[in-house]
Amino acid sequence: MKQMIVNCETKFTQMALIEEGKLVEFATERSQGESLVGSFYKGRVVNVLPGMQAAFVDIGHKKNAFLYVDDVLHPHLDKQPKVKPSIEELLKVGQEVIVQVMKESLRGKGPRVTTHYSLPGRWIVYMPIADYVAVSKKIQRDSERTRLKILSEQLRFRGEGIIVRTVSQDEHIDAIKGDLELLREQWQQIQVKAKELATPSLLHRDLSIVQRQIRDVLNPLEDELIINNIIEANEAEKYLYEMSNGVHLPVKLFQSSESIFKAHGVIEQLDKGLSRKVSLASGGTIVWDHTEALTVIDVNTSKYTGAYSLEETVTLTNLQAAEEIARLIRLRDVGGIIVIDFIDMEQEEHRQNVMEALETVMKKDRAKSQIVGWTKLGLLELTRKKVREDTSILLDRTCDSCSGTGRINIITIH
């Protein structure tokens, strides 16, 4: 069973997701300037850069959006030209184009957009021009994968694309069909608005943070949803009712002078989980450092001395660290390149066990990730897709004195 705890404030809404008593996700959405990811815009090309094979598109925000050539070509690889055309052949300055935001503005850069449109529903992701069907890799039973693929091929129109989500496993055809019809209607409304509205304009905004989490994470029959705002609770109840056809656990309204996060242990777990040094139950520690290019994680035995041998002590520490690191990567919503410096192990079998432990927990993460493997220096390298700002960036700010380095220059020049 999961718990979804929602804290509604005047300037922002925060969501905490707890699985088996552990905080695994935390997200913040500002009331002013909500998340752009998933939203559709009618934009205008303002600059085409052949050297970067990209274009900048005005979508009505401070920073122009970045549109890469691969995000202009057809989303189906088999329908792309054998020789990739130049961005100048695909887009012209002044051209109007419908784009969807796929990545937030990060570190001063504008949002990244695409013409590979997708509209997520409860059971499927609808891609109006993709022309293919895919089934979630997390559905492992071959007979079920075949059933869902055949079903989707029968339901889709020519040219449409469908990705069948994990929750569709063993689901009835009516649920998937209803999802498809609703998403198809949304796309039609986007196209109508694109013809009617001036450029630049917002054509469609993705759901609120609460609705997205209900859609993507919540099991209506098993999981708890607790909100401290009656208006938001009523909205969530309405959305949950529509999504589950009225079969769901009721939304719980939290009414107390105490903080909803404090009452459910979120603040304590958040403080520990976002610290630079995180302690393991055994006494070992995990130390996090971030640069613009990558995140580096260092594992130490610290106070843990073990009972039998050094190799066993090191392996047990690394196994425990692997599980905790996978949870914290999801909690912190870390993206990009991640390098983990586990404690050196002599046996290849132990190295493989540690990598598998990390991989097992990361399968619970909805963000796309890839474990690249061990480097020649004995570091474990992986990547994780980033679409929004890291949780830690939204919860703190860079120190004015040390500029985030943790070091202060004591040399004074007169």
Side-chain angles (χ1 to χ4, degrees):
M1 186 190 81
K2 297 186 287 286
Q3 280 186 315
M4 180 174 158
I5 316 295
V6 181
N7 176 41
C8 300
E9 302 289 346
T10 305
K11 294 183 179 181
F12 56 82
T13 299
Q14 296 173 314
M15 186 286 308
L17 184 67
I18 298 174
E19 292 180 356
E20 298 175 358
K22 290 187 175 182
L23 182 64
V24 295
E25 288 187 25
F26 185 87
T28 297
E29 187 171 84
R30 299 183 181 95
S31 299
Q32 300 297 324
E34 296 107 326
S35 172
L36 301 181
V37 173
S39 297
F40 287 76
Y41 288 86
K42 180 182 180 182
R44 178 178 285 108
V45 178
V46 293
N47 202 0
V48 178
L49 306 174
M52 296 178 65
Q53 283 295 283
F56 285 99
V57 181
D58 177 14
I59 61 172
H61 287 262
K62 291 181 181 180
K63 296 275 186 179
N64 289 329
F66 182 82
L67 178 58
Y68 185 58
V69 64
D70 285 352
D71 294 312
V72 184
L73 298 173
H74 197 283
H76 197 313
L77 293 177
D78 292 343
K79 294 183 179 294
Q80 292 182 4
K82 293 182 179 179
V83 178
K84 186 186 295 187
S86 168
I87 190 71
E88 293 177 298
E89 299 175 53
L90 301 172
L91 296 172
K92 305 295 180 184
V93 173
Q95 180 178 341
E96 294 181 345
V97 59
I98 299 174
V99 294
Q100 184 178 20
V101 179
M102 58 187 297
K103 188 178 288 188
E104 294 278 12
S105 300
L106 297 171
R107 298 188 179 95
K109 299 177 182 178
R112 182 171 171 179
V113 295
T114 182
T115 61
H116 298 175
Y117 315 120
S118 63
L119 287 162
R122 172 65 175 173
W123 311 108
I124 65 168
V125 176
Y126 173 66
M127 303 169 294
I129 61 171
D131 198 22
Y132 69 86
V133 170
V135 179
S136 168
K137 293 179 180 179
K138 293 182 180 180
I139 299 177
Q140 298 182 342
R141 203 165 71 245
D142 289 341
S143 59
E144 180 61 7
R145 292 181 62 84
T146 301
R147 181 187 79 90
L148 290 169
K149 187 155 189 175
I150 293 173
L151 173 61
S152 300
E153 290 285 7
Q154 293 173 343
L155 291 175
R156 76 182 180 106
F157 294 155
R158 185 177 180 180
E160 292 180 330
I162 294 174
I163 297 176
V164 182
R165 306 185 72 171
T166 308
V167 290
S168 293
Q169 183 166 301
D170 299 320
E171 191 56 49
H172 193 270
I173 181 175
D174 291 343
I176 298 173
K177 182 179 180 181
D179 219 13
L180 174 59
E181 291 174 349
L182 177 63
L183 298 172
R184 188 181 282 149
E185 184 180 341
Q186 285 184 9
W187 171 241
Q188 291 170 353
Q189 291 172 354
I190 290 169
Q191 291 178 295
V192 170
K193 284 186 177 181
K195 293 178 181 178
E196 297 175 347
L197 298 179
T199 307
S201 291
L202 173 66
L203 303 177
H204 171 81
R205 187 181 295 284
D206 196 13
L207 299 173
S208 70
I209 184 173
V210 177
Q211 292 172 328
R212 287 199 309 270
Q213 293 294 331
I214 292 174
R215 178 193 67 197
D216 297 341
V217 178
L218 211 69
N219 183 327
L221 296 176
E222 297 179 5
D223 301 335
E224 283 187 333
L225 176 55
I226 308 169
I227 304 179
N228 67 346
N229 181 289
I230 189 169
I231 296 175
E232 291 293 337
N234 289 337
E235 287 293 322
E237 183 82 34
K238 180 181 177 182
Y239 180 76
L240 195 54
Y241 182 89
E242 292 173 352
M243 187 191 77
S244 64
N245 293 320
V247 185
H248 64 88
L249 294 177
V251 176
K252 294 183 178 180
L253 178 63
F254 180 83
Q255 294 177 301
S256 173
S257 57
E258 185 182 17
S259 162
I260 186 173
F261 281 165
K262 187 175 181 180
H264 291 87
V266 174
I267 294 176
E268 182 182 357
Q269 289 200 52
L270 203 58
D271 286 342
K272 291 179 180 178
L274 298 184
S275 298
R276 179 173 178 267
K277 180 183 286 188
V278 178
S279 298
L280 300 172
S282 64
T285 57
I286 306 168
V287 181
W288 298 71
D289 283 302
H290 300 274
T291 71
E292 287 198 19
L294 75 161
T295 297
V296 181
I297 307 169
D298 185 33
V299 180
N300 301 299
T301 52
S302 295
K303 298 177 182 179
Y304 183 49
T305 57
Y308 298 102
S309 68
L310 176 61
E311 179 72 4
E312 182 192 57
T313 300
V314 166
T315 303
L316 289 174
T317 303
N318 284 340
L319 285 169
Q320 194 176 81
E323 295 182 6
E324 187 69 353
I325 286 169
R327 180 181 74 89
L328 293 177
I329 286 174
R330 183 180 171 192
L331 173 61
R332 295 168 178 239
D333 198 17
V334 179
I337 301 170
I338 304 169
V339 176
I340 308 173
D341 185 9
F342 285 106
I343 309 165
D344 291 338
M345 293 168 285
E346 294 181 359
Q347 298 183 31
E348 181 60 33
E349 179 186 358
H350 293 161
R351 288 155 57 93
Q352 185 64 29
N353 290 342
V354 168
M355 189 166 71
E356 288 175 357
L358 182 75
E359 190 173 20
T360 298
V361 181
M362 290 203 72
K363 285 180 179 178
K364 300 177 182 179
D365 189 353
R366 286 171 293 125
K368 185 178 180 180
S369 61
Q370 179 183 4
I371 297 179
V372 180
W374 297 94
T375 69
K376 291 181 179 180
L377 295 175
L379 307 173
L380 187 62
E381 185 180 0
L382 61 143
T383 61
R384 184 176 183 270
K385 187 176 180 181
K386 178 202 289 285
V387 295
R388 294 182 172 87
E389 292 177 294
D390 292 355
T391 297
S392 57
I393 292 175
L394 293 171
L395 295 176
D396 55 31
R397 65 178 180 84
T398 302
C399 171
D400 295 331
S401 298
C402 71
S403 300
T405 65
R407 302 175 68 87
I408 299 175
N409 188 352
I410 62 174
I411 300 174
T412 303
I413 300 176
H414 296 284

